Amino acid sequence: MARRVLISGGAGFVPSHLCDRFIADGWQVLAVDNFCTGRQSNIAHLLGNPAFELLEQDVSVPFTVAGPVAAVLHFASPASPIDYLRLPIETLQVGSLGTMNLLEIAREKQARFLMASTSEIYGDPLEHPQRESYLGNVSSIGPRSVYDEAKRFSEAAVMAWRSARGVDTKIIRIFNTYGPRMKTGDGRVVSNFVVQALRGEKLTVYGDGLQTRSFCYVSDLVDGIVRVLERGDHMPYNLGNPGEFTMLELANEISKQIGQVEIEYQPLPKDDPTRRKPDITRATTDLGWTPKVPLHEGLVAMIADLRARLAAGDA
Ligand code: NAD
Ligand code: UDP
């Protein structure tokens, strides 16, 4: 019988690609989602596939799952700043109650557990690039704290369920990932800029546009996740593409591909990290993982997807 994986947040951007990957690899996939930020259309192509099950459920509320589960991948959480600022309490709940509920399911099923943590663990980092050993520079009361602290709590819970309850656990810290299926109104920078450029609107650059991020294409991330699940150890792994770009460089690359665009400068949100770049030595050394898709290439696929969806009215 096929191994069965529970993917929380399965209708979201990254986890819907994971559903595809696990089904392609011969797994039975149970996606659990309450659709607070996810989209039916991300998984519409899987409905009716006997290898795919969908449970509409808020994972912050205790629930049970019938039948065997070999792995639990916890990806449920608002992830875009505009989403977690709109859903602050729900974000804290899913990173605390949700994580503990899913760890209990993993314990009961004797399943391996993988936590989708984030580069936000490092806050506005004072170490550059960020290694997993860096403890971070995080505000516990700023606007981003609902997300950052929820993920920090999640990591603590994972370590405790490992040591006190014997769950086989993995933690990944994901750096800014982009690709097809991001919502047109997602609010994160790559989808914002691409949608604005395709609509002939000005690109909204926050602050002076000199802050940096390192953008990972979703297929590279998915490959890293599978490697961590299969053979990673229990300490956190950074997963991201070390290519580092300012927001103005990103705007320039998108303008090269879509056509000349104007820029509208808007205020920088409070506590917006100044620089971010993963040190991926651990994932490369332990797992042989390196991202393959450079930004300009990933943007081609993302632009094609968003162009088609805008034309079809699929937000
Ligand atoms: P997303 O918003 O597209 O996906 C999140 C999914 O979780 C959505 O389908 C949403 O409906 C679901 N969800 C949220 N709360 C839930 C709850 N209480 N119960 C059930 N389902 C719930 O975001 P994404 O970018 O695909 O991110 C997925 C995961 O990866 C998140 O945990 C996020 O923190 C993490 N992550 C993503 C990135 C990135 O760059 N995309 C970076 C760091 C971490
Ligand atoms: N950003 C921007 N314009 C936008 C959206 C975001 O300049 O329309 C900036 C934002 O201030 C941040 C960077 O892009 O410095 C990445 O933002 P995003 O929301 O994608 O992710 P995060 O801040 O969580 O890394």
Side-chain angles (χ1 to χ4, degrees):
M1 209 176 78
R3 289 177 300 170
R4 187 161 173 244
V5 58
L6 185 165
I7 303 181
S8 77
F13 154 53
V14 169
S16 67
H17 287 277
L18 270 178
C19 291
D20 289 346
R21 170 65 188 263
F22 277 89
I23 287 175
D25 288 353
W27 288 68
Q28 184 77 25
V29 170
L30 170 62
V32 184
D33 205 299
N34 69 351
F35 293 95
C36 68
T37 63
R39 300 186 320 133
Q40 280 282 352
S41 59
N42 285 345
I43 49 162
H45 61 291
L46 295 174
L47 299 174
N49 183 330
F52 182 75
E53 304 158 79
L54 172 65
L55 173 64
E56 196 163 338
Q57 168 74 43
D58 179 349
V59 299
S60 300
V61 177
F63 67 104
T64 53
V65 173
V69 175
V72 174
L73 276 51
H74 182 24
F75 280 74
S77 172
S80 165
I82 61 166
D83 283 337
Y84 62 71
L85 294 174
R86 178 173 58 86
L87 299 167
I89 309 287
E90 292 83 350
T91 302
L92 285 165
Q93 286 172 331
V94 76
S96 54
L97 302 172
T99 301
M100 294 189 291
N101 288 337
L102 288 163
L103 279 162
E104 271 303 297
I105 289 176
R107 185 191 59 76
E108 181 204 325
K109 303 285 182 187
Q110 297 187 309
R112 187 167 283 182
F113 183 93
L114 181 140
M115 177 69 215
S117 185
T118 168
S119 53
E120 283 280 327
I121 288 287
Y122 306 119
D124 190 1
L126 303 175
E127 173 178 305
H128 192 80
Q130 294 82 52
R131 282 173 299 182
E132 290 88 348
S133 55
Y134 178 51
L135 298 181
N137 175 35
V138 186
S139 165
S140 59
I141 53 169
R144 297 172 85 99
S145 63
V146 292
Y147 182 67
D148 301 7
E149 297 293 0
K151 292 289 187 180
R152 290 174 73 87
F153 179 93
S154 286
E155 290 197 6
V158 167
M159 297 307 273
W161 255 257
R162 177 180 186 85
S163 59
R165 300 203 175 158
V167 179
D168 177 9
T169 60
K170 319 278 170 193
I171 295 173
I172 55 166
R173 294 181 180 156
I174 303 171
F175 285 64
N176 299 64
T177 298
Y178 68 99
R181 298 190 188 154
M182 290 187 90
K183 288 179 292 195
T184 54
D186 180 279
R188 283 175 281 188
V189 68
V190 184
S191 50
N192 266 13
F193 282 3
V194 171
V195 168
Q196 289 162 346
L198 289 171
R199 287 181 172 152
E201 298 168 0
K202 294 179 182 167
L203 305 199
T204 52
V205 170
Y206 302 160
D208 59 12
L210 296 178
Q211 70 273 36
T212 68
R213 294 293 187 274
S214 301
F215 298 108
C216 186
Y217 190 66
V218 66
S219 59
D220 281 331
L221 174 66
V222 166
D223 180 45
I225 293 167
V226 170
R227 286 174 194 240
V228 172
L229 183 72
E230 281 175 353
R231 47 182 207 270
D233 64 36
H234 68 285
M235 295 298 281
Y237 284 95
N238 284 341
L239 292 181
N241 188 322
E244 185 184 6
F245 298 86
T246 67
M247 296 313 104
L248 288 176
E249 286 168 338
L250 174 67
N252 189 40
E253 184 55 47
I254 288 169
S255 135
K256 267 199 249 164
Q257 296 201 20
I258 300 185
Q260 200 52 46
V261 288
E262 279 185 68
I263 284 175
E264 178 179 297
Y265 288 92
Q266 294 192 359
L268 187 69
K270 186 169 175 345
D271 292 344
D272 198 281
T274 313
R275 303 169 78 190
R276 186 182 285 158
K277 171 183 160 113
D279 180 321
I280 59 166
T281 308
R282 234 174 81 69
T284 304
T285 311
D286 284 14
L287 313 168
W289 179 77
T290 45
K292 305 263 182 300
V293 184
L295 181 63
H296 63 91
E297 211 175 292
L299 282 175
V300 172
M302 171 120 183
I303 290 168
D305 173 70
L306 276 169
R307 199 191 290 279
R309 279 169 40 214
L310 285 174
D314 172 17

